[in-house]
Amino acid sequence: MSVQDSAFRGFANPVDPSPAELRAWAYEPDSVPLHTMPKDWDLLVSGDRLITTLFDLAMDRSCPARRFALHCLYIYAADGIRTKFQAHPKRRLRKLVEQAERNGDDQMIIWAHNTRMLQASPDLFDYRDWCEGGLVRQGRRLG
């Protein structure tokens, strides 16, 4: 039985969910609605510990919380780039971008493109776009 087949019963600690909890929630996001989560939950989970899980969820077209996972990838990329990779390893972000370019659909390829654009021109950072979901909602490629 996979995680997706079992019922999600909630987070032991929503401020610090495990990868398995996050994955289970992502396939049943209505079980714990986002508006009931701690303030800035997207910022809390967008760190190194969960980024691989979030990336896998964003790559899965059938994941009900895919947009949330993609939103977290934008936060992660911006956080790493804007801190000159003090917050997150440059190598990890590069590997995620390369994997998205190789195996991703349009949304993931746009994320990879936008991440490369921000890395080349950090002045392209706009908080609403990168941290409040603007680029996810618009599906826009930075030029």
Side-chain angles (χ1 to χ4, degrees), residues 17-48:
S18 71
E21 287 175 329
L22 184 62
R23 184 176 303 281
W25 169 80
Y27 288 94
E28 292 187 46
D30 293 336
S31 63
V32 182
L34 273 175
H35 74 276
T36 67
M37 298 307 290
K39 182 176 176 10
D40 297 327
W41 191 61
D42 52 349
L43 302 175
L44 293 171
V45 300
S46 298
D48 290 320

Side-chain angles (χ1 to χ4, degrees), residues 6 10 13 20 22 27-29 32 38 51 54-56 58 61-63 65 68 73 75 78 90 109 112 118 130 134:
S6 62
N13 179 0
L22 184 62
Y27 288 94
E28 292 187 46
V32 182
I51 197 60
L54 289 163
F55 183 83
D56 291 345
R61 292 180 186 182
S62 69
C63 178
F68 175 79
L73 290 179
I75 292 169
K90 185 176 188 175
I109 290 169
L118 183 64
W130 289 86

Side-chain angles (χ1 to χ4, degrees), residues 5-138:
D5 295 332
S6 62
F8 179 62
R9 300 201 189 336
F11 296 101
N13 179 0
V15 174
D16 188 23
S18 71
E21 287 175 329
L22 184 62
R23 184 176 303 281
W25 169 80
Y27 288 94
E28 292 187 46
D30 293 336
S31 63
V32 182
L34 273 175
H35 74 276
T36 67
M37 298 307 290
K39 182 176 176 10
D40 297 327
W41 191 61
D42 52 349
L43 302 175
L44 293 171
V45 300
S46 298
D48 290 320
R49 184 167 168 271
L50 295 172
I51 197 60
T52 303
T53 302
L54 289 163
F55 183 83
D56 291 345
L57 296 170
M59 289 286 281
D60 182 356
R61 292 180 186 182
S62 69
C63 178
R66 182 180 191 212
R67 281 174 49 111
F68 175 79
L70 182 58
H71 164 63
C72 291
L73 290 179
Y74 273 101
I75 292 169
Y76 182 85
D79 195 29
I81 293 166
R82 293 187 69 237
T83 63
K84 296 181 176 35
F85 297 99
Q86 297 298 308
H88 309 297
K90 185 176 188 175
R91 181 177 177 203
R92 178 174 289 151
L93 182 60
R94 186 186 77 243
K95 285 183 172 192
L96 294 173
V97 166
E98 290 170 354
Q99 187 176 347
E101 289 170 337
R102 273 192 317 274
N103 303 319
D105 65 358
D106 287 346
Q107 290 183 36
M108 292 301 291
I109 290 169
I110 290 170
W111 169 77
H113 167 82
N114 289 344
T115 298
R116 288 192 184 276
M117 292 297 294
L118 183 64
Q119 196 165 0
S121 300
D123 59 312
L124 290 174
F125 177 77
D126 176 84
Y127 189 85
R128 286 183 309 271
D129 282 345
W130 289 86
C131 299
E132 292 182 346
L135 289 171
V136 175
R137 283 189 300 278
Q138 297 169 357

